[in-house]
Amino acid sequence: MIGTDVAQVASLLSDGQLAAIPTETVYGLAANALDPQAVSEIYRVKNRPQFNPLILHCASIDDAKKYVLEWPEEASLLSNAFWPGSISFLLPKSRLVPDLITSGSSHVVVRVPNHPLTLDLLSQLDFPLAAPSANISNTVSPTTAQHVESTVGSQIGYVLDGGPCSVGVESTIVAFEDSSVVILREGGISQEDIVALGIKVKGNTRKQIQSPGQLKRHYSTDKPLLIVKNIQDWVHQNPYKKAIALLYEEKTTPLPYILLSKSYNLGEIANSLFSGMREADQSNAEIILAEPIKPEGIGRAIADRLNRAQF
Ligand code: TXA
Ligand code: MG
């Protein structure tokens, strides 16, 4: 079932069932985070290993604070500036958070997503929502309700249709350390956005795995995706390969292509990246090509997703 009936989704979730929800980043596969039975269904439907923990989606800053033991000064600054929005915080969890959400870790990731339907939904619930991206593990994240419907739709109660996601890549995940933040996953809020608030960003030097989902091949298309310095040159060297290009601006190419932005606008590229990857997969090309992207602003998150897709 796909539609916009928030009350029906609230009732399904209260009943321990799963629903897909829109956020500004990507669609999430949601369940009552305080109900381990419901949460275990998320892992089953996504085919996600249980060592990979889930993000807790909360209705407000005050709501999020209930599920963590600390709220550093930097979390106040970031949440006041960007929530509801595309940044998530890793903090020590309170006893209210079931171990299944965190895969046994003492820390939980929380965020307040920025989508009117989902904020309305969260305000109607007396529990937070556990929600990973609503795709099968290691495939491309969904940025429309139709992406969800065509993959896991038959296995869940409802797909709440909030239209195409406005950001298009997942939230930034940060940890807090010595009055600085450590970026564990690049995402919708950029390093530059964080620094502009006067917050120090430290390099991620942690040996320990902080974000298990960040380890492996991820965001993969079915067809091989290759990052090449120059598409034109690659075509000259591989004249018989049937390829399709993901382009960041209008330019001449000897290949069929999908235009992610007309004029190298990083926000637009982020926004159309995952649907472009899906479209390329459905084409009759054997291989998907993309050039390296400028590693600035949200370009860092785009570069990260392309690199992982290529791995
Ligand atoms: O934008 C987003 O963050 C989207 C939307 C739906 O909110 N959600 C999302 O969830 O991207 P997911 O599960 O696809 O990615 C969450 C990442 C994973 O890499 C996971 O390992 C990491 O966050 N993570 C979650 N909880 C964690 C924890 N307690 N400790 C370390 N890493 C954690
Ligand atoms: Mg994901």
Side-chain angles (χ1 to χ4, degrees):
M1 174 85 167
I2 182 166
T4 56
D5 190 342
V6 173
Q8 190 177 343
V9 175
S11 129
L12 283 172
L13 290 166
S14 302
D15 204 33
Q17 295 189 51
L18 302 188
I21 54 165
T23 83
E24 81 285 16
T25 58
V26 300
Y27 275 72
L29 182 58
N32 175 353
L34 308 184
D35 176 352
Q37 187 92 40
V39 172
S40 67
E41 276 295 290
I42 296 181
Y43 284 97
R44 190 185 62 75
V45 168
K46 260 190 80 91
N47 194 19
R48 180 174 177 121
Q50 293 220 351
F51 61 73
N52 193 358
L54 307 176
I55 297 182
L56 208 63
H57 294 67
C58 301
S60 64
I61 295 178
D62 281 344
D63 192 31
K65 285 181 178 170
K66 287 194 240 164
Y67 302 101
V68 298
L69 295 177
E70 289 167 19
W71 200 255
E73 173 64 20
E74 292 71 31
S76 287
L77 288 168
L78 289 169
S79 58
N80 288 330
F82 300 128
W83 278 5
S86 321
I87 186 161
S88 304
F89 305 157
L90 179 71
L91 287 165
K93 78 176 190 76
S94 81
R95 280 172 42 222
L96 295 174
V97 180
D99 288 335
L100 190 55
I101 299 288
T102 64
S103 305
S105 159
S106 59
H107 285 56
V108 66
V109 175
V110 293
R111 88 169 182 113
V112 178
N114 188 15
H115 191 288
L117 287 184
T118 293
L119 286 170
D120 182 14
L121 173 66
L122 285 165
S123 73
Q124 292 184 33
L125 302 173
D126 54 8
F127 49 82
L129 292 173
S133 50
N135 53 305
I136 306 291
S137 277
N138 300 337
T139 66
V140 180
S141 299
T143 51
T144 67
Q146 288 69 33
H147 292 163
V148 182
E149 182 65 10
S150 65
T151 49
V152 295
S154 62
Q155 297 194 68
I156 60 182
Y158 202 100
V159 180
L160 186 58
D161 187 354
C165 300
S166 59
V167 174
V169 292
E170 293 85 350
S171 62
T172 304
I173 302 180
V174 296
F176 301 90
E177 220 175 75
D178 312 326
S179 307
S180 305
V181 307
V182 179
I183 298 180
L184 303 178
R185 175 176 75 179
E186 305 278 358
I189 298 292
S190 70
Q191 190 173 312
E192 290 87 337
D193 296 331
I194 297 172
V195 169
L197 293 180
I199 297 174
K200 270 186 278 166
V201 175
K202 282 215 301 203
N204 186 4
T205 52
R206 301 173 174 207
K207 290 276 181 301
Q208 196 193 354
I209 303 161
Q210 287 295 329
S211 225
Q214 293 300 88
L215 258 189
K216 303 182 300 277
R217 181 166 187 247
H218 218 86
Y219 310 103
S220 320
T221 43
D222 291 336
K223 296 182 173 150
L225 184 148
L226 213 60
I227 301 170
V228 297
K229 263 217 166 96
N230 182 296
I231 288 174
Q232 201 108 11
D233 291 351
W234 187 91
V235 173
H236 284 307
Q237 287 152 17
N238 299 272
Y240 303 112
K241 282 262 168 67
K242 209 167 171 183
I244 187 165
L246 298 176
L247 294 188
Y248 310 136
E249 61 193 333
E250 276 177 333
K251 65 177 185 183
T252 25
T253 151
L255 294 178
Y257 61 86
I258 295 163
L259 196 58
L260 302 183
S261 166
K262 282 187 174 171
S263 57
Y264 216 118
N265 176 306
L266 291 173
E268 282 173 16
I269 297 167
N271 188 261
S272 49
L273 178 67
F274 289 150
S275 47
M277 283 164 70
R278 276 170 196 263
E279 200 183 320
D281 243 348
Q282 282 152 17
S283 74
N284 58 8
E286 309 163 278
I287 192 163
I288 306 165
L289 302 180
E291 290 180 350
I293 190 112
K294 277 186 214 155
E296 60 187 44
I298 203 169
R300 297 173 204 271
I302 300 167
D304 171 79
R305 304 308 185 265
L306 285 171
N307 285 334
R308 280 176 211 289
Q310 150 171 275
F311 199 73

